[in-house]
Amino acid sequence: MSLQRIVRVSLEHPTSAVCVAGVETLVDIYGSVPEGTEMLEVYGTPGVDVYISPSMERGRERADTRRWRYNAGLEIIVVMNSPSNDVNDSHVQISYYSRHQPQPLAYTVLYLTCVDITLDCDLDCEGRQNGSFVDKRQWVWGPDGYGAILLVNCDRDDLNCDDRDNCDQHVCCLQDLEDMSVMVLRTQGPAALFDDHRLVLHTSSYDAKRARVFHVCGPEDSCEAYRHVLGRDKVSYEVPRFHGDEERFFVEGLSFPDASFSGLVSFHVTLLDDSNEDFSESPIFTDTVVFRVAPWIMTPSTLPPLEVYVCQVRNNTQFVDAVAELAMKAGCKLTICPQAENRNDRWIQDEMELGYVQAPHKTFPVVFDSPRNGELQDFPYKRILGPDFGYVTREPQDSSVCGLDSFGNLEVSPPVVANGKEYPLGRILIGGNLPGSSGRRVTQVVRDFLHAQRVQPPVELFVDWLAVGHVDEFLSFVPAPDGKGFRMLLASPGACFKLFQEKRKWGHGRALLFEGVVGNNQVNTISINQVLSNENLISYNKFVQSCIDWNREVLKRELGLTERDIVDIPQLFKTERRKAVAFFPDLVNMLVLGKYLGIPKPFGPIINGRCCLEEKVRSLLEPLGLHCTFIDDFTPYHLQHGEVHCGTNVRRQPFSFKWWHMVP
């Protein structure tokens, strides 16, 4: 701290002042200098450091070394580093001299009382910087940065409460405190000083809408001890003087960063002088701390899985069983949403995205509820929100929601480096339209929210050529033991036609697609020869390939990928109402559980007793150490324009990388 406070002294009577430990006090003598003064002599009692700055051009020197020539530019600076034991127990004396007489013309005494006031919080974020040497008024990103972190307290630790923890003004259970950040006010100095001085904790009305503060006013093992003192309609709080020198506060976030909120919240403590009955109280000193609200972070499919979600509906028992078996192999917990709750809405991927928030003291998952609001709309709030599982949503004020606002259209890449910029938490991928087009886009409130988190800068891809319009219809990521640690899978009509042409060349042109589809009369078999002679299908898939190629180039540029990082997965599309849907089950729309992949069973041509599409996918992915399981989703999902990924959701381990170590 090096803030200056100005104190004016008088010849007529001694002056008293309060100074704060480590903070400079500038002594104004110019109204008290006797006529004829040519020299000054200044000294302080032990514990008082006095410096003279003879002019603006010269640096400061210790005052007790000699007498000083008086001039209009001379400054006297006082610093005390230790709090006083009693009021006015230290002083500075200034003696005024003329060259014509040895005795001082006059002298002035400034009595000093030193207090130590600090507002502290965890600034170093796990060893980034020593908190003693940083500016608490700033928040700095990166491994060499500093600043305190605040979690949005959006879980529900007390199941007897109806809402999220940060929606009320009480601490309902002690576990709730684990989601908050601690702020400590420390004061040292004579107790008598506070008979006519006050300490006020305060924030702006803007920040009060985004964070709430509780003061510990009793035994910490009692919820009643936590008094709501700042937040919402409370912007200031006079701190009562209890018996100790330390007051503890717990701070919770109320809002995630968004278009109108940078994520920074400031709190201040001000010492006010109320000792003069003739004047209003005046500020002596203010200390400030800044918190950054932790962003909501998505997890890519390459991170280890913890829990799989799936819906039980009328006709998907075998599908649920297959997902359960895959989850067991991967060592995951399985959560089944029953039909009574999903009301036959099976698209659990579209309903929500599972991410997390993190601070040095706590990490917990947070579900982002999409604005699609199908029959599953109550599931994230009623079934997932709970102890150490948070909830957030964004709803447009108008009715501007479209199919692109389902979260099958919200994915995130693994960590990448692109154009010299590191993205250690990956980049969010959302589907939209071509630049300048007036087609479908993700609603503005969702885009604003995603951009405002800053740690996973979004990339917008072209999906309006698809009937459903989701990025998971043509891409996915799987872990890999080499290279960048992953491969990006892209649906490829070109790769499919090439495969079928090879099979026809080897005499398998009469092999049939869709042979073996059970219990459905809505699909007819079709041979490789028929596919390769269908000019409309070929022409349309050339268009689809051009759309995917557009995205391929965007992804290579924005994610720093090369062709070696991309695997082309054979896939054909057909047109419905001038938009694309999968011709056979969409192979890239898969469930990734570590090395175990749940892939839509394509019902491709059977050659030598094996599906040639399955064999091709195995040949591409199993050398990466992946295990391919093909799940029959044809009737319950594919015929409704969705696949395995659309019908499942996964909670994953957080990144080992801490978000505050990055530089956005």
Side-chain angles (χ1 to χ4, degrees), residues 365-654:
V366 175
V367 58
F368 185 11
D369 191 358
S370 82
R372 76 183 275 265
N373 290 341
E375 296 300 320
L376 269 169
Q377 63 176 320
D378 294 333
F379 180 75
Y381 192 85
K382 291 186 176 180
R383 287 292 304 275
I384 294 184
L385 170 64
D388 287 341
F389 211 133
Y391 173 94
V392 64
T393 190
R394 286 295 181 272
E395 299 272 355
Q397 294 183 347
D398 55 21
S399 57
S400 60
V401 175
C402 70
L404 272 62
D405 295 309
S406 297
F407 284 170
N409 194 32
L410 175 61
E411 298 297 325
V412 65
S413 78
V416 292
V417 178
N419 304 308
K421 174 72 175 173
E422 293 185 9
Y423 301 95
L425 302 175
R427 299 191 70 177
I428 288 172
L429 306 176
I430 57 173
N433 215 312
L434 293 173
S437 170
S438 60
R440 296 174 295 171
R441 294 189 74 191
V442 174
T443 189
Q444 188 69 49
V445 291
V446 171
R447 282 186 283 134
D448 287 345
F449 175 82
L450 297 174
H451 280 276
Q453 307 314 303
R454 298 190 63 186
V455 295
Q456 298 172 308
V459 177
E460 190 165 357
L461 301 174
F462 174 36
V463 301
D464 199 35
W465 53 277
L466 288 156
V468 176
H470 294 173
V471 293
D472 68 351
E473 295 179 79
F474 65 90
L475 71 83
S476 61
F477 295 92
V478 295
D482 57 2
K484 294 180 172 64
F486 69 88
R487 295 290 191 275
M488 181 175 71
L489 312 184
L490 285 182
S492 175
C496 190
F497 282 125
K498 180 180 179 182
L499 175 66
F500 284 0
Q501 287 164 353
E502 290 175 353
K503 299 306 178 184
R504 181 175 65 177
K505 178 180 177 181
W506 289 98
H508 303 293
R510 298 174 65 181
L512 299 175
L513 284 84
F514 308 129
E515 206 172 24
V517 174
V518 178
N520 199 292
N521 298 319
Q522 298 180 40
V523 60
N524 297 316
T525 57
I526 183 173
S527 69
I528 290 177
N529 287 337
Q530 288 173 305
V531 168
L532 295 178
S533 62
N534 188 328
E535 293 299 329
N536 289 334
L537 184 64
I538 293 172
S539 175
Y540 189 71
N541 274 274
K542 286 181 179 179
F543 162 74
V544 168
Q545 187 67 65
S546 71
C547 296
I548 295 174
D549 288 345
W550 168 279
N551 289 308
R552 185 191 202 96
E553 294 307 311
V554 171
L555 290 160
K556 287 167 66 176
R557 180 177 67 250
E558 298 297 333
L559 302 184
L561 305 181
T562 67
E563 286 298 322
R564 287 177 296 179
D565 304 314
I566 302 171
V567 178
D568 290 310
I569 301 296
Q571 186 65 48
L572 295 181
F573 294 82
K574 60 184 179 180
T575 178
E576 286 189 9
R577 299 174 184 171
R578 303 185 65 188
K579 301 288 186 180
V581 297
F583 183 70
F584 51 79
D586 192 349
L587 291 160
V588 299
N589 193 276
M590 63 179 66
L591 174 61
V592 181
L593 301 179
K595 64 182 180 180
Y596 297 99
L597 308 181
I599 306 171
K601 184 174 181 63
F603 291 97
I606 303 298
I607 297 173
N608 298 326
R610 295 178 179 270
C611 169
C612 68
L613 287 170
E614 291 185 18
E615 289 300 290
K616 181 62 177 179
V617 171
R618 289 185 192 276
S619 71
L620 293 169
L621 300 183
E622 289 185 349
L624 300 175
L626 302 171
H627 298 262
C628 300
T629 298
F630 292 91
I631 298 175
D632 181 359
D633 71 350
F634 201 97
T635 299
Y637 293 91
H638 173 68
L639 291 180
Q640 298 190 47
H641 298 162
E643 310 289 356
V644 174
H645 185 260
C646 304
T648 56
N649 214 314
V650 184
R651 177 172 63 89
R652 301 181 183 276
Q653 286 185 17

Side-chain angles (χ1 to χ4, degrees), residues 244-288:
D245 295 332
E246 182 175 293
E247 300 296 334
R248 283 166 56 84
F249 300 86
F250 285 81
V251 189
E252 65 178 358
L254 304 180
S255 302
F256 281 98
D258 217 322
S260 60
F261 175 42
S262 69
L264 295 177
V265 178
S266 298
F267 296 102
H268 321 273
V269 64
T270 296
L271 177 64
L272 295 172
D273 183 352
D274 197 24
S275 61
N276 194 320
E277 296 179 357
D278 298 327
F279 302 101
S280 61
E281 58 188 1
S282 59
I284 294 176
F285 169 76
T286 296
D287 200 14
T288 297

Side-chain angles (χ1 to χ4, degrees), residues 120-122 177 180-184 248-251 291 361:
D120 288 328
C121 50
D122 179 13
L177 299 170
M180 303 187 196
S181 297
V182 177
M183 183 169 65
V184 180
R248 283 166 56 84
F249 300 86
F250 285 81
V251 189
F291 289 89
H361 66 281

